[in-house]
Amino acid sequence: MIKTIEELHEMLKNGEVTSDELVKDSLKKAHNVQDKCNAFVTILDDAHGSEVTDDILSGIPYGIKDNYSTKGILSTGSSNTLKDYVPFFTATAVSNLEKHNVVPIGKTAMDEFGMGGTGTTAHTGNILNPWDTKRMAGGSSSGSAASVAAGVYPFALGSDTGDSIRKPAAFCGIVGYKPTYGMISRYGLFPFASSLDHCGCLTRSVKDAAIVVDAMKGIDKNDLTSWDSSDIHLYDSLDGKVKGKKLFYIKEIVNLENYPDASLELKEHLNNFYHTLDYLKEEGVEVDEVSIDKNLINTIFSVYECLSCAEATSNMSNLTGIIFGPRGEGKNINEMMKDHRTKGFSSLIKRRFVIGSYILQKENQERYFVNAQRVRRLIVDKMNELFKTYDGLIMPVSTGPAPYIDGSKDEITKDNTTNLEEHLQIGNFGGFPSITIPNGFVNDLPVGINITGKCYDDANVLNIAFALECKMPYKNQVAPQFKEGENA
Amino acid sequence: MRKYKAVIGLEMHCEVKSNSKVFSSARNSYNDTPNANIRPIDLAFPGTLPTLNIECIRKALLMSLILNCKVPEYMYFDRKNYYYPDLPKGYQITQMHDPVGVNGHITIDVDDYSKDVLIHDIHLEEDSASLDHYSTISLIDYNRAGVPLLELVTEPCLSSSKEAVAFLEYMRRVYQYADISEADTKKGQIRCDVNVSIMDEDSTELGTKVEIKNVNSFANVASAIDYEIKRQSELKDAGRYDEVEQETRRFDEESGTTIRMRGKVDAIDYKYYVEPNIPKFKIDSAWLEKIKKDIPVLPRERKQHYMDDLGLSEYDANIIIKEKDYADYFEKCVSLGMNPKVAANYLTVQIIAYLNKEGITLKDFYLIPEYLLEITTELDKETISSKQAKEIFNKSLEEKKEPKNYLSENKQISNEVELAEIINKILENNQEQIEEYKNGKTNLFQYFVGQVMKETKGKANPNMVRDILNSKLN
């Protein structure tokens, strides 16, 4: 049932539908999406409805990215190193949600341990975009984005270290929100790069994202980086009043002049971005073009690569196949660990481990790791300086719609578009609240726009996104071939 | 073999006493059942995160202050990355960049001289799991994984195994005195790494440093140092000092020698970097002041006080400060008004012997200072004999009853009038013996004493009995 959470709650309350019916419908769609998009690692066929209360989330089905630890439910992180791992404890974000009587339908496939942006590195195979299955869903929260975009349920959990919620959301035409760092506990989230990792959600509307994160968030004694957000009520704060708000975009990334050889797709995407800004202006929002030192902008991807690979190398040192995961073969423990890791990880991850190890080596640490940390600080300081004037940064997501999986038919822009593809990482550097919403189509495929604000200012960021969403016709959209009644 | 100057540095790891582990909520207690004190993080299950035990931080800061170290403004931790089966996370959370204390010093006594030992740093970290190796398998016990550990690193400022052991012995006591650790070597709560190099007596240039890892008893520390000095000196004598390599060795208890583990080129790069899951926090100065107040009077100061102010011998003082329990017991006795020498005597002779015999600690000793005082007070007043005191001491321990219960039945008769009456009666009934005594059979004096004792069931004050008999008979 392609409805918002509010609508579903209403229907559940007045008996138009039961939680059991919703769950059955959701499971059926999950299997359909699995057939077409390979979005799941696990579908929980035994799932059944739960008690419907006054809680807006009660009785509603949802999906969980497979890097959330779920007690008694296979949790692989889409990696062979954990292919049979069934945890005995549940991630705080999930157990917080469980208090609201939500019903998990499945564990969604992802780029292995979140370390990719394509959805092509899961141990269960490529995850495909429901709008066009020859295209990527984006990653790493690929299965979550694909299943929400295909209308399996109103929301799924994601995680975001670089843009892993916000990019697949754009590619799948839905909403992706990662709140301020520490608003949602990371306890039970398989780590990629701890200082950049965020929990969050994928939904089809800003309001749904607010409802879901309200339920996921909260200070957690098991996560020292979590903080008390009990006075923040995201859902209740959405009033759509944005007159007088100020946003900026970064000229060095967005301006078409940066891309003299831009493909038609890219041009269309950027023009669409400017067009979207007009909606905000109509609502009384001031949008300014801001110039930032190009040298600083150019560092974003390298800084991300250095920090994320370095932290990942260390974070994943627990994957040895000794305590959990398939035991490797070998004459001694070192050989066993080596065998486990050689067989278990995809080549992309191994590449990142090599980079991470190199960066952390004593003789390289100052040059790469420490400098990356310094530049991260410079970028965050620059943003915080701008956030004194502005309510948020508004930017187009990536260079356009989702690329083809085999890359063959992509329109190639000869200019370097790295900054356009990677700028969402700014949100992870600063732990800033950041939300992507769909803002139209290029070549009949969805594209997205992102708003990022200052830490703890989630309600404001969501409210601006909400106001913008209301101006556009993309709320609660579903990939055409998965629309109601069109299921194969 | 020529005599060279030895330069020794120590790394002393000491397990900290706390309810839960340092970065895990699992219990921190010595447990015979393997893998009983564990939480998901102790096995590094995916998604687990460290917590922080503030009590461990407090104790680390306390030790830092005791060692006169500089305390950093901010507290944070680092990851030390390496693969080993006893390290489930693949990294140890420790402190490298900004330890809880740096540049400290502490004075110790070595035989007849004292020495200021320079402290490079002290840092808080987590222990690894423990491994038991068998012929075909190895077993891992994660009870120890995550147990708080304080690692103290001295400057290379010690010059002999004697100084090294004196330092370790002293530090062990300090840990106990400050209630930071049980510091029980038998439970493996203290482990040491030792750095040894030698140089010519007149030289100022340091020699090649050799590290000996994981030495588990103080006796082995001494053996390892002595062996290493001998090995290096012999090579130097033979003109082969270049064979002394900067390397890591281990001590082999069976042969009493050190064995090469790895050289400098194989040194592990631990890829230290700041632990991202424990946010940096400012050490509150008010808190630090409060911790300062918890610094106990250290054993060396106590010893000085016992000798200078309480008149104890150095021998007795040394025994008493050996354990904090002893010193506390002794000081309690003195504070109750007991004569220090009497208290020291009881403690160093009877009490310690009893503890050793029973295999218990002073904590489980029934005769608390207040009870002991009941005995010594009467002894002072001479209402009981030292023999009786001993009997009461033993009986009280045996029956776990306060000494005063035995005092009434054992109380000496020291009342002169009462004694004179008893003696008069005995003399009246022994006229014949008086005659014989007066006629020169002086050994009959003992007979009269015996009669009095018999009459009083041994409770008569023997000195007074003698005095009264003397006055009546002579």
Side-chain angles (χ1 to χ4, degrees), chain A residues 186-205:
Chain A
R186 286 179 293 117
Y187 186 75
L189 177 75
F190 299 171
F192 164 9
S194 311
S195 78
L196 302 163
D197 289 347
H198 293 66
C199 294
C201 65
L202 295 110
T203 62
R204 290 187 301 268
S205 74

Side-chain angles (χ1 to χ4, degrees), chain A residues 187-484:
Chain A
Y187 186 75
L189 177 75
F190 299 171
F192 164 9
S194 311
S195 78
L196 302 163
D197 289 347
H198 293 66
C199 294
C201 65
L202 295 110
T203 62
R204 290 187 301 268
S205 74
V206 175
K207 206 174 247 180
D208 284 0
I211 292 168
V212 172
V213 169
D214 270 339
M216 292 172 81
K217 73 186 179 68
I219 191 165
D220 178 13
K221 65 176 174 26
N222 288 320
D223 178 0
L224 294 173
T225 64
S226 68
W227 46 276
D228 182 8
S229 57
S230 53
D231 57 344
I232 296 178
H233 307 282
L234 298 171
Y235 176 50
D236 294 341
S237 307
L238 297 178
D239 59 10
K241 289 179 192 152
V242 290
K243 194 165 182 226
K245 300 281 180 196
K246 291 173 83 173
L247 297 174
F248 72 100
Y249 61 89
I250 301 168
K251 183 186 173 192
E252 285 69 22
I253 299 177
V254 175
N255 200 306
L256 252 174
E257 285 166 19
N258 299 304
Y259 313 103
D261 289 321
S263 64
L264 277 173
E265 217 171 49
L266 176 57
K267 278 181 190 159
E268 216 180 308
H269 181 46
L270 293 178
N271 285 331
N272 183 53
F273 167 72
Y274 287 108
H275 178 62
T276 305
L277 299 184
D278 292 338
Y279 291 128
L280 284 164
K281 289 172 190 164
E282 283 167 26
E283 290 300 297
V285 177
E286 182 187 324
V287 184
D288 294 345
E289 181 176 85
V290 164
S291 200
I292 294 177
D293 185 351
K294 186 90 193 245
N295 289 322
L296 193 59
I297 299 291
N298 285 340
T299 62
I300 294 171
F301 182 59
S302 326
V303 167
Y304 174 76
E305 197 74 353
C306 281
L307 297 179
S308 67
C309 290
E311 289 191 33
T313 310
S314 170
N315 274 337
M316 289 178 209
S317 299
N318 63 335
L319 303 170
T320 57
I322 304 297
I323 300 175
F324 47 82
R327 189 65 70 87
E329 286 163 21
K331 287 197 288 292
N332 56 47
I333 194 145
N334 286 328
E335 283 184 14
M336 287 159 72
M337 290 196 277
K338 198 169 165 184
D339 183 59
H340 168 83
R341 292 173 70 88
T342 304
K343 287 178 184 159
F345 291 121
S346 72
S347 58
L348 178 85
I349 285 211
K350 285 178 199 155
R351 182 175 161 273
R352 292 198 174 194
F353 287 164
V354 172
I355 295 170
S357 274
Y358 180 81
I359 283 166
L360 281 180
Q361 270 172 17
K362 211 173 181 178
E363 58 270 35
N364 304 327
Q365 221 190 78
E366 175 69 23
R367 182 175 162 83
Y368 295 108
F369 187 68
V370 178
N371 273 334
Q373 285 178 316
R374 288 184 184 122
V375 179
R376 174 183 184 171
R377 174 48 55 198
L378 291 178
I379 295 168
V380 171
D381 286 349
K382 181 73 202 169
M383 294 304 293
N384 279 327
E385 183 196 315
L386 285 160
F387 286 146
K388 280 182 190 156
T389 313
Y390 296 99
D391 294 283
L393 163 70
I394 186 158
M395 297 286 280
V397 177
S398 196
T399 54
Y404 284 95
I405 283 181
D406 64 7
S408 60
K409 292 178 206 145
D410 287 327
E411 289 184 46
I412 305 297
T413 297
K414 289 196 188 71
D415 309 298
N416 185 346
T417 54
T418 305
N419 291 341
L420 198 47
E421 285 159 45
E422 311 292 349
H423 65 80
L424 290 181
Q425 290 154 1
I426 293 172
N428 302 79
F429 293 166
F432 303 129
S434 184
I435 184 167
T436 291
I437 63 171
N439 74 325
F441 292 88
V442 171
N443 286 342
D444 295 328
L445 290 158
V447 290
I449 193 165
N450 178 273
I451 301 172
T452 298
K454 66 169 178 279
C455 284
Y456 315 111
D457 202 24
D458 292 66
N460 191 23
V461 170
L462 287 197
N463 200 35
I464 297 167
F466 177 64
L468 179 57
E469 178 188 61
C470 289
K471 299 284 287 181
M472 301 187 291
Y474 314 118
K475 188 192 277 187
N476 212 25
Q477 72 180 359
V478 164
Q481 66 157 319
F482 293 92
K483 273 191 183 148
E484 222 78 298

Side-chain angles (χ1 to χ4, degrees), chain B residues 417-446:
Chain B
V417 181
E418 196 183 333
L419 280 177
E421 242 172 64
I422 294 165
I423 290 169
N424 281 340
K425 215 165 125 197
I426 286 167
L427 292 180
E428 267 172 40
N429 295 335
N430 287 283
Q431 292 300 332
E432 271 177 46
Q433 283 80 354
I434 295 173
E435 280 308 306
E436 284 178 43
Y437 176 82
K438 289 193 169 164
N439 291 336
K441 208 170 173 186
T442 49
N443 57 357
L444 271 173
F445 190 81
Q446 228 23 66

